[in-house]
């Protein structure tokens, strides 16, 4: 189970919440048994959308940021989960090398890195930072907003070529917090003696959202059967358009057809459940990242004639190659707000444990828009108030601890799907 | 590493604290590697004594109570550790049977049981209570001070005789919170299909403190070498008198000789380290429990002529047999006080994780007396204040988070010793 956190609201989650709470023992047992078969990613965060009538992951991040947004009271949980994770890969570890993103001018991101270092140091590891930025050729201090310093250092391949580390620093575990959007750097290839976590194929140079969604379909189906709900309640419809080339205006038809088909499917479900919302879909690059290139579409005609700006946004240029595969996902409106700003929960996990979460809040965005955009703010999910124990008799929606438990369950569905996805896309599957 | 808790005081721990903090990575790595070789007890609490110049476990409890004394904010840590523990023994568990003590009229103990049930329910298990009290022949409600109810039920052996449970309740794990002082009950014997935790030989019907102390000697020696301190800094001297029969006034000589020998050894150490305290020893039954029969002795002459009341206190009567083996342990004065009352920390662990702690406080006892006695009170160790991160640069003793980390390390030395002890005293060692 997961910690009980204060969530921002106590509105209805209705039938789904009730069913998840009633099935808690079955759900936890199912997770325990799945984790006997599948290895969870080292860490992961899942963005959720709670529409009231349904609750679903909309993004599963294998290089989670935002550790600085977790409530400080939650840190011991993170440390304990990190101990369990390290134990699994490197019980004799002394050193951990953390490789952050190279956009090191973002003070929020640096605070995230500092928080991660703190967590891993508290597990008893020496932690240092290595950078993929080739311009950093010597240890370079970076100022944190609180006046402290981080030092990033150039990566060094060992003289026999088999290990990667820093000068005078040979790590057992190399933890990537860099999503490899820029491609797999040669210095990280062919590392077999050290644990490189998550593996290279988790990076956006190789990863595709469509593989994750296919794995999630299976997980949601099993889960729906387990607790006797329509899997759609935790799983947005989705489709993919490959073979498209927006630059040459090739593929708009496929996109429009898929948008049209998805909107029809959503309309049917809305009718079945008496939902009065207006259906919409989200179009995003299959290889995309950073919440970029995400489009909200309410009518197929809107994508028949894409502007060149929209086309560029949907294309991902990687190593000079334009990748145009896009996915189309049922939009899940969020019904959560914090002080009138639209909010969505982000749940953070280490190994198979939920260690905390926060709300991503965007005052200038609508309930049907991507919140992972400039201007978003973060509100930590703190511990529930004292004595807020899970109240099985509470009316659904009336109990904040119950609400967060439900979030933790759905986030772990995303975690499990990520684990299946990484297994199936592993270029060296013999390690499993 | 362990959560950072607010400890009651910030006095000096001096050299030992400094050395432990400096060696954190080596210590954590050593624990990780020891836990690869040895299985920690399912749960455990360790009573510590902090004398300023030394810090040592004085009691290692394999049936910990006082879960109700843990700060409620710490519960998610307990739940997470319990998940890891259950995973190890029974990943497919649906049901957990908890067998509490039979002294069910103690409201504090009942709150402890209720808290444990809450923790295990939050891991997603169905939890029910079975009793060893033969007078309970049907489900019996017990009122909790907060107005809630617990229900204890008679144990039932399955029809094929191979499993134990309750009516319509077949557990995978049976968790004992009954220390079996009254002997091993027949209904718990020969359970091979279920996990009985801790094992029967952890109960006081079989367990001997002297075995634990022998294992602890080894652990302390390794630890002393690891961080380059005299193992005495974390390990009180001890000796054992077997073959004694106080009822027949046989053995007082052995006791007096050992007291005399230990006092001399302590005096030598005090001289070596310039300690001005007056040495004392604690005499207690080798098979004892509940803090009963514990005597503070400052002079060997005090035990040459024991009163018959003292003799009775030191004897343990079990199944009609009088057990007179006593251990003599170097007394570690506590220099901790809370509002002028003498205090000692109790650290609680599940699996290999420190999940919290509390102070046992006794207003009417001295710094050299047993505090586990009627009249003691409990003060939870809450989370350290926000941003209280381990400050490696803090002056030893000046930082409460550092203090609690050190407590967690020494408590885990006791945990590791308990693990060795249980391995070595296992009547069916093939399971390891």
């Amino acid at each position: 189970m997961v910690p009980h956190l204060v969530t921002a609201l106590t509105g209805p989650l209705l039938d789904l919440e009730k069913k998840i709470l009633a099935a808690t023992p079955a759900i936890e047992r199912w997770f325990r048994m799945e984790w006997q078969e599948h290895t969870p990613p080292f860490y992961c965060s899942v963005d959720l959308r709670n529409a009231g009538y349904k609750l679903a992951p909309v993004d599963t991040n294998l290089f989670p940021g935002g550790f600085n947004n977790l409530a400080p009271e939650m840190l011991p949980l993170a440390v304990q989960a990190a101990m369990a994770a390290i134990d699994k890969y490197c019980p004799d570890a002394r050193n951990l090398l953390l490789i952050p993103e190279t956009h090191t001018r973002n003070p929020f991101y640096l605070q995230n890195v500092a928080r991660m270092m703190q967590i891993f140091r508290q597990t008893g590891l020496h932690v240092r930072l290595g950078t993929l930025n080739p311009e950093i050729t010597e240890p370079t201090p970076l100022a944190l907003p609180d006046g402290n310093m981080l030092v990033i250092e150039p990566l060094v391949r060992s003289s026999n070529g088999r290990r990667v580390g820093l000068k005078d620093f040979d790590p057992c575990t190399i933890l990537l917090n860099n999503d490899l959007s820029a491609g797999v750097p040669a210095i990280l290839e062919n590392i077999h003696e050290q644990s490189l976590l998550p593996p290279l194929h988790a990076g956006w140079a190789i990863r595709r959202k469509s593989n994750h969604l296919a794995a999630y379909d299976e997980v949601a189906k099993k889960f729906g059967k387990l607790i006797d709900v329509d899997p759609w309640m935790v799983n947005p419809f989705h489709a993919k358009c490959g073979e498209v080339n927006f630059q040459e205006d090739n593929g708009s038809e496929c996109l429009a057809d898929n948008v049209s088909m998805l909107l029809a499917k959503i309309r049917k479900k809305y009718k079945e459940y008496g939902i009065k919302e207006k259906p919409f879909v989200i179009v995003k690059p299959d290889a995309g990242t950073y919440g970029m290139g995400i489009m909200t579409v309410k009518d197929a005609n809107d994508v028949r004639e894409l502007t060149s700006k929209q086309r560029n946004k949907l294309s991902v240029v990687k190593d000079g190659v334009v990748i145009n595969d896009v996915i189309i996902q049922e939009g899940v409106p969020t019904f959560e707000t914090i002080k009138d700003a639209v909010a969505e929960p982000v749940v953070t996990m280490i190994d198979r444990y939920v260690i905390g979460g926060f709300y991503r809040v965007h005052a200038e965005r609508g309930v049907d828009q991507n919140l992972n955009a400039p201007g978003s703010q973060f509100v930590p999910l703190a511990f529930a108030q004292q004595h807020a124990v899970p109240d099985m008799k509470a009316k659904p929606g009336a109990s904040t601890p119950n609400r967060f438990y439900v979030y933790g369950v759905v986030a772990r569905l995303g975690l499990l799907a990520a684990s299946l996805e990484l297994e199936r896309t592993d270029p060296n599957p013999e390690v499993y």
Side-chain angles (χ1 to χ4, degrees), chain A residues 327-377:
Chain A
I327 56 165
I328 308 116
Q329 200 175 12
E330 174 192 340
V332 182
T334 175
F335 86 141
E336 299 194 273
T337 55
I338 294 177
K339 291 184 189 157
D340 295 333
V342 176
E344 69 186 10
V346 179
V347 176
T348 306
M349 292 158 283
I350 293 181
D351 198 78
R352 62 189 186 279
Y353 303 105
V354 172
I355 56 126
F358 53 88
Y359 273 98
R360 185 183 286 127
V361 184
H362 206 306
E364 287 142 40
R365 292 276 171 139
V367 296
D368 56 1
Q369 285 183 299
N370 170 38
L371 305 186
N372 192 359
S376 61
Q377 291 182 301

Side-chain angles (χ1 to χ4, degrees), chain A residues 306-322:
Chain A
L306 289 177
T307 65
S308 73
K309 191 179 163 200
Q310 284 170 321
R311 279 185 221 136
N312 282 333
K313 269 178 75 180
L314 283 172
S315 304
V316 175
V317 180
K318 202 154 281 172
D319 302 322
V321 180
V322 180

Side-chain angles (χ1 to χ4, degrees), chain A residues 27-344:
Chain A
I27 292 168
E28 295 301 326
R29 179 172 181 265
W30 177 64
F31 275 125
R32 277 199 302 274
M33 293 174 72
E34 291 289 335
W35 298 133
Q36 299 285 311
E37 302 293 321
H38 308 288
T39 305
F42 185 86
Y43 57 8
C44 180
S45 72
V46 172
D47 296 356
L48 297 177
R49 281 292 183 115
N50 182 0
Y53 52 89
K54 77 184 284 178
L55 173 64
V58 293
D59 197 22
T60 300
N61 191 343
L62 297 174
F63 304 88
F67 279 89
N68 52 316
N69 298 323
L70 301 176
E73 309 93 279
M74 306 294 285
L75 284 187
L77 265 183
V79 173
Q80 192 176 289
M83 284 176 79
I86 293 291
D87 232 44
K88 205 180 266 182
Y89 297 100
C90 254
D92 63 344
R94 283 188 179 88
N95 298 333
L96 181 133
L97 174 63
L98 180 60
I99 301 184
E101 296 289 347
T102 49
H103 52 74
T104 41
R105 294 193 187 281
N106 179 335
F108 300 108
Y109 182 72
L110 292 181
Q111 280 174 310
N112 167 58
V113 171
R115 180 61 68 80
M116 275 195 283
M117 291 179 82
Q118 183 192 345
I119 290 168
F120 293 107
R121 281 192 175 136
Q122 286 185 31
T123 69
L125 293 169
H126 295 288
V127 184
R128 281 162 67 178
L129 298 176
T131 182
L132 292 174
N133 182 349
E135 288 167 24
I136 305 287
T137 54
E138 54 186 30
T140 304
L142 296 171
L144 288 168
D146 65 5
N148 284 315
M149 284 283 177
L150 294 179
V151 176
I152 53 168
E153 301 178 60
L155 294 177
V156 178
R157 197 81 184 212
S158 66
S159 53
N160 66 10
R162 292 164 65 166
R163 299 176 73 87
V164 73
L166 306 175
K167 190 166 178 261
D168 304 325
F169 189 75
D170 181 26
C172 177
T173 307
I174 302 155
L175 185 60
L176 284 173
N177 197 250
N178 181 309
D179 68 13
L180 307 181
S181 288
V184 174
I187 198 165
L188 294 183
E189 276 175 350
N190 299 311
I191 303 289
H192 304 298
E193 289 185 0
Q194 293 159 296
S195 297
L196 181 59
L197 299 167
L200 292 178
H201 65 285
W204 283 123
I206 298 169
R207 192 179 179 214
R208 293 294 175 268
K209 289 192 175 95
S210 47
N211 291 326
H212 180 78
L213 296 180
Y216 190 79
D217 283 347
E218 280 177 49
V219 170
K221 203 170 160 190
K222 275 195 186 179
F223 181 73
K225 202 171 169 191
L226 181 74
I227 68 161
D228 189 26
V229 297
D230 183 346
W232 178 76
M233 291 298 176
V234 294
N235 192 12
F237 289 127
H238 58 90
K240 182 186 163 180
C241 279
E243 317 288 324
V244 298
N245 187 334
F246 292 116
Q247 307 305 318
E248 297 171 11
D249 201 12
N250 169 1
S252 296
E253 270 312 308
C254 165
L255 187 55
D257 289 350
N258 272 296
V259 166
S260 188
M261 178 270 291
L262 276 189
L263 287 172
K265 281 172 83 175
I266 302 166
R267 236 173 259 121
K268 203 173 152 213
K269 282 287 179 191
Y270 278 12
K271 203 174 162 197
E272 180 183 343
Y273 294 107
I275 296 160
K276 305 291 179 208
E277 307 282 332
K278 187 175 165 54
F280 67 100
V281 298
I282 302 287
V283 179
K284 47 190 173 184
D286 198 11
T289 173
Y290 289 137
M292 274 155 63
I294 294 184
M295 238 168 74
T296 299
V297 181
K298 293 179 187 177
D299 188 318
N301 288 326
D302 295 349
V303 292
R304 262 180 238 280
E305 309 258 315
L306 289 177
T307 65
S308 73
K309 191 179 163 200
Q310 284 170 321
R311 279 185 221 136
N312 282 333
K313 269 178 75 180
L314 283 172
S315 304
V316 175
V317 180
K318 202 154 281 172
D319 302 322
V321 180
V322 180
I323 299 169
N324 289 300
D325 294 8
V326 296
I327 56 165
I328 308 116
Q329 200 175 12
E330 174 192 340
V332 182
T334 175
F335 86 141
E336 299 194 273
T337 55
I338 294 177
K339 291 184 189 157
D340 295 333
V342 176
E344 69 186 10

